[in-house]
Amino acid sequence: DVRVDISVNYLSMNTSNWEYIVEPTSILLNVDQQPNELVLSVSTSECINANITSEILTSISEFVFENKRSQGEETCTSDGGICSSDSTLSIMNESGIDFFIDMANSNEEVDTDENMSQDNEMDIILLRNSCSISLNSCDKKALVGLKVANKSVKLIGKRKQIINLPLSPHEEKNISKHSLIPTRVDLKAQYTTEPIVEWCMQNQRLRSAYHNVSSLDDGVDLLSNQIWSPGDRSLMQENEEHWLHPYLDGDPYEWTDMTGLLRMERDRVMLPDNKWIWANNWTVEVPYGYGENGDADGWEYAEDFQSFRRENRFYKKGDVCRRRRWIRTRLMKPPKLGNPFQRLSMVWECIKDKRGNQTVKIRSPLKVLNRTHLDLTLFGYSYSWENDLLLGSVCVEQDFAIPIHLSSVTYLRLAINKKGNDDDASNLSGSIKEETLSYSDRFLVIPSSHNSETTLRVSITCDDYMESNVPPNIHFCLKLTCKSGITELTINPVIKISNLLPCQLQFRLSEGVRDIASDGTIDAQNVEVLAVTEEQLLGVGDETSSLAVDPALNPCISFRVPGYRWSQRQRIVNRISAFSSWKPSNEDEELHVEDVDRNTRRHDYITIIEFERITYAGDPLTLVLEVVPGECPLLVVYAQYWIVDKSGFGLRYCDGYEDILGTTLKSESPRRTYLLHKEIQNDSMKEDMNIEGHEWAVGMNGVTMYFSGEAKLAVSIDFGDSDNPVVNLKDARSQWSQLLDISNVIPKTIFSLNEFQGNRQFDLSYDVAFASSSFSRTKIITIYNR
């Protein structure tokens, strides 16, 4: 903190001397070095005296501020289009209070009747909360004024009118923040000071014995992460010893400033006086952008401590240094709710579409976006409030702006209805029964800087989940974004699953079960069995999300398709270039495949899913699981190939044979496009044959799914009386064809099959093409008669 005297001078042309516009004033300058910016905060407890002379007023009057447009002139939209006469302007009030819209943009006090009608022809329009008005955008002025309505003055006190608010954005979207300044100033009030974020950096160096994953035991995570770690939890004690405080000569201290030069003591940071309070304990700031800006525990990496820059990044092979930022927020004791001098702001958001239609939204600077599949209830708390207050509700895929008179909220809590979205208790149109809700802990919604993106993780525990439709523990991944002081809280699920199969897909999520000590803490060293947390069913092409797994408990997943048993559990490896920082076990390494479809992003983690038939006579099935890493990873399940048999024969497929003569096919890869007669009689198979898309999974009616690690296909005709449920088809058997290349798009190509123990020859053809739209990860192989 630095105290300085500041003044503003101008050169007077009459006296040829410098004169004061702003007389010398003592100010307090606070310099705060943030990770990505330098923040300067200026404040003063004195009055600022301005010396306004007639010469200054004369100079100001000579400036031209108006941009006049002749009547009838066409208006250009932001994308170069023309605003037609029927384009509309809608103004929506989502602020929680009532406003007057001054179409004349006058700086005079608005004095109107509260019961006035919303007449669009008037210069003053009353816009109540949750209401909207429609105007002709081409006939209205470019700037308007805004004034708090009389009824809302009781909530927030009298506020000065805001003028020069644009109705037409310069771009497709324009957002601006405006202060609601009290008409009277309380000189003794000091709670208008912005919150202050104290911070320090924690530095670590990798132990010299572990410079690469080859020196690790199987299943060990080099990064020792707590969140989304692919490592084995039973080896956690060894993992914690990989990273130590800096130990080489020239290394910084363990706790320093951003430069690494100034030693800091985190526990010695104190409040300036009793007018301040701590908003939270020391916590790790986790920048948003997992896999790019750092890992899920907030660490950023570099080759050495001198290589750290303003831009954060994730681990790369060869990195031996890392650091992360710990923060703690302090703020002036806030005023009580309804104080007429409290700091309040509103957001003026202008949006224009390609047709020239404009939408203006009036809201608070804090907006919540729900991107989960559950309706959520929001509660807020501030230091000066007696208890948590109900803020509102946000439905699935909807947004909700916190009311302006409650936007001074410091903490939020999420709540869900214990019986799911279908219960009447989740509807805020009536009274809310608090006993029907389950709550999260309070979490801080004060951003760490004026422009920032951070990740928060919040959980809700349902005590009586046995009688509800929700899992016992619900987990959320929150993105707290602040841009120019406007804050958005996006509530995301923990994980997403997409079914790109031509058949129905079931999945089970599970996580590790840990011992809980008597003090309520979790014993990270003792991970017992895996417990199933959720089971869902996905239709063809569907995508869903899940809130039922904790990313800190090594979540796993298993699948089932029609005609097959549940696959073995597989760990969810949510990490880019995973093998550079994690040594997989033999089992994990066998399931991993590299670039299986030649078209995936190089950072995605791809494994195969192996299924066993519910009958002992059928073929196994291999599918592909792709994990797109991120804060909320996307799990995509798809088949490498779809085969469509239009030959009229019963065909069998494999990706090679084990003997030189080509008579014994590989046992792990055979598939058919017809169903064996003895399988049809199986009761379990009969039940699964009622499921959508079962033909593709079991292989029948000329379609099947196929996998080949070598991108090869061998074909044979294999259809005899013993397997033939269709009496009008004749027996036909052939030898295996040569291996066909299916690695890329191929036009129709002829190949021949020699009859098994006969002289006939069967001439067929095939082509390879990509599936369309979202199924483009899969290639379609079509087989025809020549």
Side-chain angles (χ1 to χ4, degrees):
D1 292 348
V2 180
R3 287 200 174 273
V4 297
D5 290 334
I6 189 172
S7 62
V8 181
N9 302 336
Y10 81 102
L11 181 62
S12 173
M13 302 305 296
N14 292 335
T15 63
S16 298
N17 290 323
W18 288 94
E19 297 182 359
Y20 290 124
I21 295 179
V22 177
E23 297 180 0
T25 305
S26 178
I27 66 171
L28 178 64
L29 178 65
N30 174 264
V31 182
D32 186 8
Q33 174 65 63
Q34 303 286 352
N36 298 319
E37 58 190 344
L38 181 69
V39 179
L40 302 180
S41 301
V42 181
S43 60
T44 180
S45 58
E46 301 178 4
C47 291
I48 299 178
N49 297 317
N51 182 30
I52 305 299
T53 64
S54 60
E55 183 179 355
I56 295 177
L57 294 176
T58 301
S59 300
I60 293 177
S61 66
E62 294 175 355
F63 290 116
V64 179
F65 294 98
E66 294 183 355
N67 181 15
K68 297 182 178 180
R69 182 188 300 119
S70 60
Q71 286 188 346
E73 183 179 353
E74 292 180 319
T75 305
C76 294
T77 62
S78 60
D79 57 355
I82 301 299
C83 175
S84 60
S85 59
D86 59 350
S87 62
T88 60
L89 167 65
S90 298
I91 304 179
M92 305 172 62
N93 185 3
E94 302 175 352
S95 64
I97 60 177
D98 299 342
F99 281 102
F100 286 123
I101 307 294
D102 182 6
M103 304 304 298
N105 193 32
S106 172
N107 202 17
E108 299 178 358
E109 281 293 320
V110 175
D111 187 12
T112 56
D113 184 6
E114 189 72 32
N115 298 320
M116 62 181 292
S117 62
Q118 297 185 7
D119 188 353
N120 294 350
E121 300 300 325
M122 299 178 61
D123 286 338
I124 306 299
I125 302 175
L126 173 62
L127 182 56
R128 298 187 184 276
N129 177 45
S130 302
C131 295
S132 63
I133 57 175
S134 297
L135 308 170
N136 189 314
S137 62
C138 291
D139 293 341
K140 297 303 175 182
K141 296 184 179 181
L143 300 174
V144 298
L146 195 68
K147 176 70 175 180
V148 176
N150 300 335
K151 181 179 180 181
S152 297
V153 169
K154 300 177 182 178
L155 288 176
I156 63 175
K158 286 190 175 182
R159 305 281 166 160
K160 293 183 180 180
Q161 183 169 340
I162 303 174
I163 61 173
N164 298 330
L165 296 173
L167 291 177
S168 178
H170 298 293
E171 301 175 352
E172 291 185 1
K173 188 174 184 180
N174 183 29
I175 302 178
S176 57
K177 180 181 177 182
H178 305 270
S179 297
L180 295 172
I181 303 174
T183 54
R184 295 185 297 113
V185 179
D186 185 1
L187 298 178
K188 297 181 180 180
Q190 301 184 23
Y191 42 73
T192 56
T193 305
E194 291 280 359
I196 304 296
V197 178
E198 305 286 357
W199 59 271
C200 60
M201 303 300 297
Q202 181 186 9
N203 305 300
Q204 287 188 348
R205 178 179 284 275
L206 183 64
R207 185 186 289 272
S208 58
Y210 300 105
H211 276 193
N212 54 64
V213 294
S214 61
S215 57
L216 301 176
D217 295 332
D218 291 348
V220 173
D221 179 14
L222 181 67
L223 306 187
S224 308
N225 284 158
Q226 297 293 322
I227 305 296
W228 285 123
S229 174
D232 190 343
R233 286 291 180 181
S234 63
L235 304 175
M236 179 65 70
Q237 186 172 359
E238 297 182 16
N239 286 358
E240 291 176 346
E241 298 177 356
H242 293 163
W243 296 87
L244 308 174
H245 60 81
Y247 56 85
L248 295 182
D249 294 339
D251 281 355
Y253 294 101
E254 182 177 7
W255 299 95
T256 66
D257 67 342
M258 183 64 66
T259 65
L261 301 177
L262 178 62
R263 185 174 186 177
M264 302 182 69
E265 295 292 342
R266 187 182 66 174
D267 298 331
R268 293 188 179 182
V269 178
M270 301 179 65
L271 295 174
D273 51 49
N274 60 3
K275 298 177 182 178
W276 292 83
I277 58 172
W278 288 114
N280 61 342
N281 294 320
W282 285 101
T283 57
V284 175
E285 182 186 35
V286 181
Y288 191 82
Y290 171 65
E292 297 179 3
N293 299 328
D295 62 24
D297 292 347
W299 294 104
E300 56 173 310
Y301 295 83
E303 297 177 356
D304 52 64
F305 289 108
Q306 289 72 31
S307 299
F308 283 111
R309 297 291 183 265
R310 185 178 297 273
E311 295 79 16
N312 306 340
R313 70 167 175 83
F314 188 62
Y315 174 84
K316 291 182 180 179
K317 187 176 181 180
D319 289 345
V320 295
C321 297
R322 68 180 185 179
R323 65 177 185 177
R324 62 181 175 181
R325 185 173 184 252
W326 289 75
I327 59 174
R328 192 178 189 187
T329 303
R330 59 180 170 94
L331 64 156
M332 299 288 287
K333 293 180 180 178
K336 292 184 178 180
L337 191 64
N339 188 296
F341 301 108
Q342 65 177 330
R343 177 192 294 268
L344 293 176
S345 301
M346 52 80 64
V347 169
W348 185 266
E349 182 177 355
C350 302
I351 304 172
K352 182 186 289 186
D353 62 20
K354 294 182 179 180
R355 297 176 58 87
N357 298 320
Q358 303 167 28
T359 302
V360 176
K361 293 183 179 180
I362 307 172
R363 62 175 178 87
S364 72
L366 177 57
K367 184 170 70 171
V368 179
L369 298 81
N370 182 8
R371 298 298 177 257
T372 70
H373 61 274
L374 290 179
D375 295 338
L376 300 173
T377 305
L378 303 176
F379 290 83
Y381 179 77
S382 180
Y383 178 81
S384 61
W385 300 359
E386 295 181 359
N387 46 39
D388 293 348
L389 297 181
L390 174 64
L391 303 179
S393 67
V394 53
C395 298
V396 176
E397 293 297 331
Q398 297 295 319
D399 306 340
F400 174 74
I402 304 299
I404 285 181
H405 63 284
L406 299 175
S407 61
S408 60
V409 60
T410 306
Y411 309 90
L412 287 183
R413 295 181 74 183
L414 304 181
I416 62 169
N417 183 8
K418 297 178 182 179
K419 296 184 179 180
N421 290 345
D422 298 332
D423 193 79
D424 294 336
S426 63
N427 186 2
L428 288 181
S429 60
S431 61
I432 289 187
K433 301 177 182 179
E434 295 190 5
E435 63 273 11
T436 65
L437 300 177
S438 296
Y439 302 85
S440 72
D441 293 333
R442 293 172 181 165
F443 57 92
L444 190 69
V445 289
I446 298 178
S448 59
S449 65
H450 203 56
N451 292 280
S452 62
E453 285 187 341
T454 55
T455 300
L456 307 173
R457 297 196 179 272
V458 176
S459 300
I460 297 177
T461 299
C462 302
D463 297 330
D464 51 352
Y465 67 92
M466 297 296 292
E467 300 178 359
S468 66
N469 299 324
V470 296
N473 295 289
I474 306 245
H475 307 276
F476 302 93
C477 178
L478 311 183
K479 177 184 178 183
L480 185 63
T481 305
C482 183
K483 293 182 179 180
S484 301
I486 302 174
T487 305
E488 286 188 355
L489 179 69
T490 306
I491 306 174
N492 295 311
V494 175
I495 196 171
K496 296 180 180 179
I497 299 97
S498 176
N499 175 24
L500 297 185
L501 300 174
C503 64
Q504 177 183 287
L505 175 70
Q506 290 177 270
F507 67 87
R508 284 176 180 168
L509 289 167
S510 56
E511 64 185 17
V513 179
R514 297 182 184 175
D515 282 348
I516 300 180
S518 57
D519 60 355
T521 59
I522 295 178
D523 182 5
Q525 311 301 328
N526 192 352
V527 179
E528 297 179 349
V529 298
L530 290 173
V532 176
T533 59
E534 187 177 30
E535 181 176 325
Q536 287 195 45
L537 186 148
L538 278 176
V540 177
D542 288 347
E543 181 179 309
T544 189
S545 60
S546 176
L547 307 167
V549 291
D550 186 351
L553 294 180
N554 290 99
C556 298
I557 191 167
S558 59
F559 301 93
R560 185 181 183 275
V561 293
Y564 289 87
R565 298 183 174 91
W566 283 96
S567 67
Q568 293 185 349
R569 290 191 181 102
Q570 296 180 220
R571 71 176 74 247
I572 301 173
V573 182
N574 179 26
R575 179 175 293 178
I576 65 172
S577 306
F579 285 173
S580 65
S581 59
W582 163 60
K583 188 174 183 180
S585 63
N586 292 334
E587 181 180 354
D588 293 324
E589 197 164 7
E590 289 176 358
L591 294 177
H592 179 261
V593 289
E594 291 284 351
D595 200 16
V596 66
D597 59 3
R598 321 286 181 184
N599 195 37
T600 58
R601 295 187 295 178
R602 60 188 180 89
H603 291 314
D604 296 357
Y605 186 82
I606 305 174
T607 58
I608 57 174
I609 313 168
E610 297 177 338
F611 296 89
E612 294 182 359
R613 197 81 153 204
I614 57 177
T615 64
Y616 293 102
D619 298 323
L621 176 63
T622 301
L623 300 177
V624 182
L625 171 63
E626 178 183 343
V627 180
V628 182
E631 277 83 4
C632 174
L634 172 63
L635 276 60
V636 183
V637 181
Y638 63 98
Q640 187 184 14
Y641 297 98
W642 298 347
I643 297 181
V644 180
D645 176 14
K646 296 184 178 182
S647 68
F649 294 106
L651 299 183
R652 200 173 186 188
Y653 314 90
C654 73
D655 64 350
Y657 15 81
E658 297 178 351
D659 60 335
I660 299 177
L661 298 178
T663 58
T664 305
L665 71 159
K666 289 183 178 179
S667 58
E668 62 271 12
S669 63
R671 294 292 294 168
R672 293 180 173 89
T673 49
Y674 64 95
L675 188 63
L676 297 176
H677 183 62
K678 51 190 172 184
E679 285 193 286
I680 299 178
Q681 307 304 319
N682 184 278
D683 293 337
S684 299
M685 184 63 74
K686 287 181 179 180
E687 183 177 350
D688 280 7
M689 287 175 67
N690 296 320
I691 299 176
E692 175 190 15
H694 67 276
E695 300 92 346
W696 290 92
V698 301
M700 63 181 296
N701 295 346
V703 295
T704 191
M705 294 183 287
Y706 177 73
F707 176 85
S708 172
E710 305 295 331
K712 301 292 183 181
L713 177 69
V715 183
S716 73
I717 300 173
D718 186 14
F719 208 75
D721 281 339
S722 60
D723 301 326
N724 186 0
V726 186
V727 296
N728 61 350
L729 289 182
K730 297 182 179 180
D731 294 349
R733 294 184 182 275
S734 74
Q735 299 177 7
W736 287 98
S737 69
Q738 294 183 348
L739 290 176
L740 308 176
D741 181 23
I742 53 174
S743 60
N744 212 328
V745 175
I746 298 175
K748 280 189 178 181
T749 305
I750 297 173
F751 66 96
S752 299
L753 302 175
N754 294 321
E755 185 180 15
F756 181 72
Q757 295 181 350
N759 298 323
R760 291 185 297 176
Q761 177 176 293
F762 305 93
D763 291 337
L764 305 176
S765 65
Y766 79 105
D767 62 22
V768 182
F770 281 106
S772 60
S773 187
S774 59
F775 297 90
S776 60
R777 288 177 172 85
T778 299
K779 297 184 183 72
I780 301 177
I781 304 171
T782 307
I783 298 179
Y784 313 85
N785 286 318
R786 178 179 179 183

